[in-house]
Amino acid sequence: EPLDPVRVLTNRSSGKQGYAIAQAAIDAGAATVLITAPTCLTPPVGAKVIQVHTAEDMLGSVLQECLQADALVMAAAVADFRPKRAAQNKLKRRDGIPRVELEAAPDILQAVLKLGDPKPRLVAGFAAESQDLLENASAKLESKKLDLLVANDISATDAGFSVDTNRVILLAPNAPAETLPLMDKTEVAEILIARIAARLEKP
Ligand code: CTP
């Protein structure tokens, strides 16, 4: 989220898990659209790639692509807050320390939820939690009315942001939680896509 033409507010997400999910979806034979903010990663060959920069941009692209998607996986660490105003010109040191007022960024999952038909038959989200993982994630599953939730403990050093491995719990309404051991993000992606495919195959 821009502060001025050179500075942005961002977060520690690398995009690795999202890119791995796009790759796993392609490998499973799905027509795949990867909507991504800037990362250092190479997009998987075979995906339609849409580059976005802000939560607002991502919202527009997600809503557009949802018109023809069977499933949406929201793995992006979208901003919850953004500067209320982005300065048109670079903020200068000589002008003193700026006061930055934040406002809410659009909640993409909430907007998808409000879509009438057609909307994706399956919506999966992520829950990045640093405490009370299962409790917070279960509440998110319900409040966001998700079909699947990947709960992520970001306080662990071998899971979550930036690293290649992840330790997640898969949650679905009215189903027991599936706790996966520490594994590569590519393996998490394959399991998630397999679960999504199985659910889409159900009439
Ligand atoms: N998400 C979204 N739009 C946002 C922020 C998040 O659609 N502006 C999605 C994420 O892609 C993820 C899910 O919401 O699939 C949960 O994100 P998370 O940051 O864990 O939860 P929040 O709803 O932002 O709640 P909190 O930060 O208070 O835990």
Side-chain angles (χ1 to χ4, degrees):
E1 301 296 327
L3 247 154
D4 72 11
V6 286
R7 303 179 179 96
V8 294
L9 276 188
T10 185
N11 61 55
R12 294 187 189 282
S13 170
S14 64
K16 282 178 182 169
Q17 187 62 80
Y19 275 51
I21 292 166
Q23 181 67 65
I26 294 165
D27 294 346
T32 304
V33 182
L34 173 64
I35 302 171
T36 175
T39 72
C40 299
L41 307 170
T42 308
V45 174
K48 171 181 166 187
V49 180
I50 302 177
Q51 285 282 348
V52 297
H53 284 91
T54 62
E56 195 77 45
D57 290 350
M58 185 171 272
L59 172 69
S61 294
V62 168
L63 292 183
Q64 180 65 38
E65 293 302 321
C66 275
L67 296 175
Q68 53 239 327
D70 293 314
L72 167 69
V73 182
M74 279 297 301
V78 191
D80 288 312
F81 316 107
R82 64 184 177 192
K84 201 164 181 177
R85 273 173 301 276
Q88 255 192 331
N89 295 308
K90 187 184 172 201
L91 296 165
K92 301 298 280 179
R93 181 186 276 259
R94 64 165 180 262
D95 294 335
I97 300 168
R99 293 189 81 84
V100 179
E101 200 184 336
L102 300 178
E103 65 178 8
D107 184 329
I108 298 173
L109 276 177
Q110 202 174 55
V112 170
L113 198 71
K114 285 188 188 148
L115 280 179
D117 287 332
K119 69 174 171 195
R121 281 159 56 210
L122 184 148
V123 179
F126 272 68
E129 305 294 345
S130 60
Q131 56 188 3
D132 305 326
L133 179 63
L134 205 52
E135 204 179 314
N136 283 330
S138 303
K140 236 169 235 181
L141 176 75
E142 205 178 304
S143 67
K144 293 180 187 274
K145 300 200 169 25
L146 295 167
D147 303 297
L148 264 177
L149 182 84
V150 186
N152 218 337
D153 180 358
I154 53 162
S155 65
T157 53
D158 53 4
F161 293 147
S162 294
V163 294
D164 286 330
T165 48
N166 217 349
R167 189 184 291 111
V168 305
I169 303 176
L170 300 182
L171 300 175
N174 308 317
E178 185 181 1
T179 303
L180 301 180
L182 183 72
M183 57 177 69
D184 206 88
K185 284 182 176 171
T186 56
E187 291 174 272
V188 173
E190 283 160 17
I191 293 172
L192 178 63
I193 291 297
R195 298 293 177 276
I196 290 173
R199 281 166 174 267
L200 288 176
E201 274 161 20
K202 281 190 197 155

